[in-house]
Amino acid sequence: MTVAEAITKSGITPSASYTGIETANDFVLAFQTDKSKQSKEADWIVCADHVKEHSGSLNATTEDSQYIRTGNVTDKTGTQRTLAVNGDRCVGDAFQDFVLSHKIVYGTGSDVIVPYIYFSLRTGKGEKGSAAIIVTSDVGGAAGSKATFACDVKAIGTPDEFDYNPATQSAEPAKAVKG
């Protein structure tokens, strides 16, 4: 499923003026899996079908320093976005076929780094960057139950602010907003 298809299927039009509650289902995680065919974010592949969770976390790094008369001071030195993805195996789903491919499962270095977007369907606001996809389980589950998979998506550096605007997706790619 592409981003455009996910938005159409949701029945929601992203609006920067939206106020109210957001649910986990309101967030879209998508990847550019084929640069030659996916020049617009609307064409990127969504992590959705048979996915139970794509929970985001922010992992801060800090450094403590002890100063005379001030005492201990903690400085925040960075933040890394991590998304934990898990679900039931589904052959034929574009996201799973990509993530569970030999290239990603056994890949190293730049082979497993791909562009991603993570944004709210309600507001269109989120982030855009590159991330390493680290498959942690390709076939889980007990006898007689559905096979499962799990992976971590770890951002490389600080992602850019992103605003998904459906109107710009029909003509040219949406631009990331530097923050």
Side-chain angles (χ1 to χ4, degrees):
M1 174 183 338
T2 66
V3 172
E5 291 167 340
I7 289 173
T8 299
K9 188 175 181 179
S10 76
I12 299 169
T13 301
S15 170
S17 63
Y18 174 82
T19 58
I21 294 173
E22 292 178 305
T23 67
N25 288 352
D26 290 333
F27 289 85
V28 173
L29 173 61
F31 299 90
Q32 184 183 39
T33 60
D34 185 341
K35 289 181 183 182
S36 67
K37 296 178 183 173
Q38 300 166 340
S39 60
K40 296 179 242 170
E41 287 89 353
D43 299 328
W44 291 16
I45 300 302
V46 173
C47 165
D49 290 345
H50 296 88
V51 172
K52 294 181 178 183
E53 175 181 15
H54 55 64
S55 294
S57 64
L58 298 169
N59 308 309
T61 53
T62 60
E63 182 178 297
D64 292 340
S65 300
Q66 187 73 26
Y67 295 109
I68 297 172
R69 287 180 289 284
T70 305
N72 196 39
V73 174
T74 300
D75 291 319
K76 181 179 167 190
T77 57
T79 303
Q80 183 183 35
R81 158 69 71 201
T82 300
L83 294 131
V85 178
N86 67 69
D88 294 331
R89 290 284 304 254
C90 181
V91 176
D93 171 61
F95 167 72
Q96 287 191 41
D97 289 350
F98 174 74
V99 169
L100 298 172
S101 69
H102 192 272
K103 177 184 176 184
I104 300 297
V105 169
Y106 293 103
T108 59
S110 62
D111 287 343
V112 299
I113 297 173
V114 296
Y116 80 96
I117 51 176
Y118 185 56
F119 68 97
S120 166
L121 274 172
R122 299 283 178 188
T123 65
K125 295 180 185 304
E127 65 191 47
K128 178 180 179 178
S130 292
I133 298 176
I134 301 158
V135 178
T136 57
S137 173
D138 63 340
V139 185
S145 63
K146 293 179 182 177
T148 61
F149 79 99
C151 66
D152 290 330
V153 178
K154 295 186 175 266
I156 307 297
T158 302
D160 293 326
E161 284 185 79
F162 177 74
D163 190 354
Y164 186 88
N165 180 343
T168 62
Q169 289 297 305
S170 59
E172 45 184 81
K175 306 277 189 225
V177 178
K178 289 281 184 184

